[in-house]
């Protein structure tokens, strides 16, 4: 008899901190899709609430970062086995707060998969995602191929926070989650067999 698989610890990072942002609405919808998908234990990291310093504090010394807020954030990144970044696109790029959060820790990202849910204007945030793929490659992660994007995002959700095209968005979310779980399980086993130390 096969033992049930341990749930994947998924961190969903809400990447915008702007007042009036759409990110929490998009993230809430996606988290429900993750719940329906199953096999995931979800931690929501909202950068507007994380309290990260506005400047980088440098690498850890004796296993500790410079501030309590960064240490708390680092623990959550370290405990996660997969990530989904919910990002808007600002001026053809991703938010400064998201770059700061990514750069605040380093080894905690290694050998884990990253997926993207983006929202924006005509491009649906895809230009931000393409830039993020380059950044996460430098952090020794695997970014999954498929993503979820919402072009003209303010017009895509009803007053209850659900996409007007719930079916299409749901299919895209399932594809992303299927790929993410495959990579998370594969990399979990790989890290257990041989610690990642590059």
């Amino acid at each position: 008899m096969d033992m049930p698989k341990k749930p994947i610890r998924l961190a969903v990072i809400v990447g915008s901190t702007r007042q009036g942002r759409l990110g929490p609405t998009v993230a809430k919808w996606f988290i429900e899709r993750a719940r329906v998908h199953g096999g995931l234990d979800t931690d929501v990291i909202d950068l507007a609430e994380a309290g990260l310093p506005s400047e980088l504090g440098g690498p850890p010394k004796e296993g500790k970062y410079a501030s309590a807020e960064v240490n708390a954030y680092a623990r959550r990144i370290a405990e996660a086995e997969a990530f989904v970044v919910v990002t808007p696109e600002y001026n053809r790029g991703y938010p400064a707060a998201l770059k700061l959060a990514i750069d605040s820790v380093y080894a905690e990202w290694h050998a884990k998969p990253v997926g993207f849910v983006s929202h924006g204007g005509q491009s649906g945030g895809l230009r931000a995602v393409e830039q993020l793929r380059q950044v996460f490659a430098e952090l020794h992660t695997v970014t999954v191929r498929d993503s979820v994007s919402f072009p003209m995002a303010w017009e895509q959700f009803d007053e209850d926070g659900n996409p007007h095209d719930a079916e299409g968005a749901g299919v895209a979310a399932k594809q992303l989650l299927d790929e993410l779980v495959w990579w998370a399980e594969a990399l979990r086993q790989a890290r257990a067999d041989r610690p990642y130390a590059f």
Side-chain angles (χ1 to χ4, degrees):
M1 180 173 154
D2 291 337
M3 294 290 292
K5 291 180 180 178
K6 181 181 176 184
I8 297 295
R9 294 189 301 274
L10 170 66
V12 176
I13 300 172
V14 184
S16 173
T17 60
R18 276 190 182 181
Q19 189 172 6
R21 65 208 169 118
L22 186 62
T25 298
V26 179
K28 183 179 178 182
W29 167 80
F30 182 77
I31 291 160
E32 178 58 21
R33 302 280 60 76
R35 186 193 67 76
V36 170
H37 187 277
L40 296 158
D41 179 11
T42 305
D43 178 25
V44 182
I45 302 176
D46 187 339
L47 297 185
E49 300 171 358
L52 294 175
S54 59
E55 295 181 0
L56 295 175
K61 296 179 180 177
E62 299 179 359
K64 294 286 185 181
Y65 289 94
S67 75
E69 292 81 6
V70 174
N71 282 309
Y73 169 73
R75 279 193 299 274
R76 294 169 78 179
I77 299 299
E79 290 170 359
E81 298 176 289
F83 306 97
V84 167
V85 177
V86 178
T87 184
E89 182 179 309
Y90 297 155
N91 302 317
R92 292 180 176 257
Y94 56 93
L98 179 54
K99 184 66 163 85
L100 178 69
I102 293 167
D103 291 347
S104 290
V105 297
Y106 182 65
E108 291 83 354
W109 297 109
H110 288 183
K112 300 173 186 177
V114 182
F116 302 99
V117 176
S118 64
H119 53 96
Q122 289 184 344
S123 79
L126 292 177
R127 291 174 293 206
V129 169
E130 289 309 305
Q131 294 173 27
L132 284 165
R133 290 185 189 280
Q134 297 177 58
V135 172
F136 276 108
E138 190 66 17
L139 292 166
H140 301 257
T141 70
V142 174
T143 60
V144 301
R145 177 188 180 276
D146 288 284
S147 62
V148 181
S149 64
F150 293 99
M152 308 308 290
W154 289 104
E155 301 171 7
Q156 296 297 323
F157 290 82
D158 64 24
E159 60 186 14
D160 295 321
N162 298 310
H164 295 300
D165 181 13
E167 183 177 357
V171 168
K174 183 180 184 304
Q175 181 69 23
L176 166 59
L177 287 164
D178 286 348
E179 293 176 20
L180 195 72
V181 167
W182 190 95
W183 277 106
E185 290 177 346
L187 290 171
R188 171 196 274 173
Q189 186 62 53
R191 290 192 307 273
D193 293 344
R194 181 183 178 191
Y196 189 85
F198 297 97

